[in-house]
């Protein structure tokens, strides 16, 4: 069946990996923000969500992403914490994902939460690429701001290239030890069978064009059927956080992964004392490229379609629970929707 481009669901891309390996900095580079710098103790403690439009992706990726080749609206990035105590949040992020980026510090190599991330993705059957980050810290590295990685690699001294190669082959070896056949991404023919490794620097943006090109290619090539779904039906999502918002009281930040939600919709949200049945009073959408976790200016909208990060204002959300499901009732039987929320 042919699908209208604007009805394709935005793919959800989870970013996973060990603490401090550069997940938030990578997203900062893509969306042009400085979220990482504002974090307490420089560690991420919540799941984030950022809608990155196709335009931004293609601007950042330059010649590597021609926007006319794609009919996906963009990518919804999910940031996750790497600190060992946040296993639940990583699993939640992994469960939401259509595809994932596992960020590995090239010098630090595989660490416990790298392996944990791979286990989560294997369990959920989520295809992923590995971003071998911080290539700029390779001794003798001569940064080429924003460059695709091959051009940057070729401009390095033999010694610097040798050091990077060693680190990259160690990562490829570690992936193989975990049961994944992997190679540098430009040697991978079939991304459904082999894991591509993309050398990048979140600080100098080297390789970030390549990473975006691989993610867009993967989404378009292997996910298109999965994305060609009706995004006008009753929405389904997961609560990321419950937050007090001035003028609204308790609100929930959610990732909507299916269907739509509209102002006035009846919704069921998982709460500490069982499902909460309420009605959407306002839908507050972060601006494009804004991290919902830190966004202060929201646009009030009448409808949102999957996938999206959105703040939902409704009465009685004080006991809503992070990680709980949220469902739109609309033309369905309220009792069965309540049961669905209870059983999740
Ligand atoms: P958690 O969310 O706590 O798991 O950490 P994270 O993976 O989000 O790491 P974050 O982006 O906060 O980066 C950790 C530190 O590494 C920061 O000081 C960043 O500036 C630094 N960093 C990240 N990417 C790079 C890179 O490519 N090159 C260099 N030199 N430093 C980087
Ligand atoms: Mg982070």
């Amino acid at each position: 069946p042919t699908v209208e481009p604007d009805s394709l669901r935005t793919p959800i891309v989870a970013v996973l990996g060990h603490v401090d390996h550069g997940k938030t900095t990578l997203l900062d580079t893509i969306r042009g923000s400085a979220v990482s710098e504002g974090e307490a103790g420089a560690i991420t403690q919540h799941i984030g969500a950022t809608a990155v439009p196709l335009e931004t992706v293609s601007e950042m990726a330059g010649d590597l992403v021609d926007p006319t080749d794609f009919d996906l609206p963009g990518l919804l990035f999910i940031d996750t914490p790497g600190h060992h105590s946040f296993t639940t949040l990583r699993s939640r992020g992994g469960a939401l994902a259509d595809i994932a980026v596992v960020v590995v510090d090239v010098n630090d190599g595989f660490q416990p939460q790298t392996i944990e991330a791979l286990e989560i993705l294997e369990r959920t059957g989520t295809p992923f690429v590995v971003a071998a980050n911080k290539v700029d810290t390779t001794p003798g590295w001569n940064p080429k701001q924003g460059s695709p990685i091959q051009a940057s690699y070729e401009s390095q001294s033999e010694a610097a290239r040798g050091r990077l190669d060693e680190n990259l082959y160690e990562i490829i070896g570690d992936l193989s030890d975990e049961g994944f056949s992997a190679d540098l991404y430009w040697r991978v023919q079939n991304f459904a069978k082999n894991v591509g490794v993309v050398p990048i620097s979140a600080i100098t943006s080297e390789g970030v064009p390549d990473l975006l090109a691989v993610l867009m290619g993967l989404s378009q090539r292997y996910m298109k059927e999965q994305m060609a779904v009706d995004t006008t039906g009753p929405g389904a999502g997961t609560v990321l956080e419950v937050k007090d918002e001035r003028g609204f009281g308790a609100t929930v930040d959610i990732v909507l992964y299916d269907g739509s939600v509209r102002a006035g919709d009846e919704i069921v949200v998982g709460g500490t004392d069982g499902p909460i049945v309420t009605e959407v009073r306002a839908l507050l959408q972060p601006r494009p490229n804004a991290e919902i976790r830190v966004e202060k200016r929201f646009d009030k909208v009448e409808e949102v379609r999957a996938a999206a990060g959105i703040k939902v204002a409704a009465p009685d959300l004080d006991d809503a629970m992070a990680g709980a499901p949220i469902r739109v009732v609309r033309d369905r039987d309220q009792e069965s929707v309540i049961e669905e929320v209870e059983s999740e």
Side-chain angles (χ1 to χ4, degrees):
T2 49
V3 214
E4 290 300 314
D6 63 359
S7 74
L8 284 178
R9 181 164 87 61
T10 307
I12 301 177
V13 186
V15 185
L16 296 164
H18 196 73
V19 69
D20 274 353
H21 280 197
K23 299 172 289 297
T24 306
T25 307
L26 169 62
L27 292 181
D28 279 339
T29 296
I30 295 170
R31 65 196 165 201
S33 61
V35 172
S36 170
E37 286 168 23
E39 290 180 328
I43 70 161
T44 301
Q45 311 201 33
H46 290 285
I47 301 180
T50 304
V52 177
L54 178 58
E55 250 169 59
T56 306
V57 172
S58 70
E59 265 167 34
M60 184 92 217
D63 292 343
L64 296 189
V65 174
D66 177 351
T68 59
D69 288 344
F70 296 95
D71 36 31
L72 295 165
L75 300 167
L76 183 74
F77 281 99
I78 304 289
D79 194 7
T80 67
H83 188 273
H84 64 83
S85 61
F86 298 117
T87 301
T88 315
L89 297 184
R90 279 188 289 281
S91 301
R92 198 172 292 160
L96 283 167
D98 298 304
I99 56 177
V101 181
V102 176
V103 176
V104 184
D105 179 326
V106 266
N107 296 299
D108 231 12
F110 266 43
Q111 296 296 329
Q113 273 61 55
T114 316
I115 294 169
E116 193 197 288
L118 295 177
E119 285 167 358
I120 290 168
L121 296 173
E122 186 156 47
R123 203 162 60 226
T124 52
T126 310
F128 64 94
V129 292
V130 169
N133 190 31
K134 308 199 188 184
V135 297
D136 63 293
T137 62
T138 306
W141 190 264
N142 183 18
K144 262 189 111 168
Q145 194 77 33
S147 163
I149 196 61
Q150 274 168 297
S152 166
Y153 178 87
E154 276 154 25
S155 75
Q156 304 300 322
S157 69
E158 209 170 301
R161 281 205 303 257
R163 287 187 176 116
L164 178 60
D165 285 345
E166 253 175 61
N167 287 337
L168 291 174
Y169 284 113
E170 194 157 320
I171 290 174
I172 290 169
D174 286 343
L175 277 162
S176 152
D177 291 345
E178 296 302 314
F180 298 100
S181 149
D183 208 339
L184 294 169
Y185 89 90
W186 53 86
R187 296 197 194 125
V188 172
Q189 303 280 345
N190 182 344
F191 282 90
K193 281 209 184 112
N194 297 301
V195 174
V197 176
V198 188
I200 68 159
S201 164
I203 295 284
T204 68
S205 313
E206 288 158 283
V208 175
D210 309 62
L211 179 65
L212 291 171
V214 172
L215 290 175
M216 288 304 293
L218 257 177
S219 310
Q220 178 97 347
R221 186 105 186 260
Y222 299 105
M223 304 273 137
K224 199 158 168 199
E225 302 220 325
Q226 217 169 303
M227 295 306 125
V229 291
D230 183 11
T231 53
T232 62
T238 300
V239 175
L240 300 182
E241 281 188 78
V242 185
K243 280 189 194 159
D244 278 320
E245 206 64 48
R246 260 183 81 180
F248 291 104
T251 65
V252 287
D253 289 357
I254 70 161
V255 167
L256 180 72
Y257 55 78
D258 198 9
S260 70
V261 63
R262 299 176 191 144
D265 266 338
E266 186 177 29
I267 53 173
V268 181
V269 187
T272 46
D273 297 323
I276 301 160
V277 181
T278 181
E279 195 172 286
V280 177
R281 201 172 124 204
L283 289 170
L284 304 168
Q285 187 162 45
R287 289 162 295 173
N289 293 319
E291 167 60 85
I292 195 171
R293 203 148 57 79
V294 298
E295 177 69 318
K296 300 228 157 42
R297 266 188 42 203
F298 291 86
D299 292 325
K300 214 165 157 183
V301 295
E302 285 304 305
E303 184 189 38
V304 202
R305 294 186 187 179
I310 184 95
K311 182 185 285 295
V312 179
D316 305 322
L317 287 176
D318 303 82
D319 297 329
M321 228 172 19
I326 172 167
R327 295 286 182 276
V328 171
V329 178
R330 219 167 285 164
D331 49 7
R332 297 186 293 168
D333 170 46
Q334 194 203 74
E335 273 308 312
S336 69
V337 179
I338 292 174
E339 270 167 38
E340 195 182 311
V341 167
E342 259 170 349
S343 68
E344 215 183 82

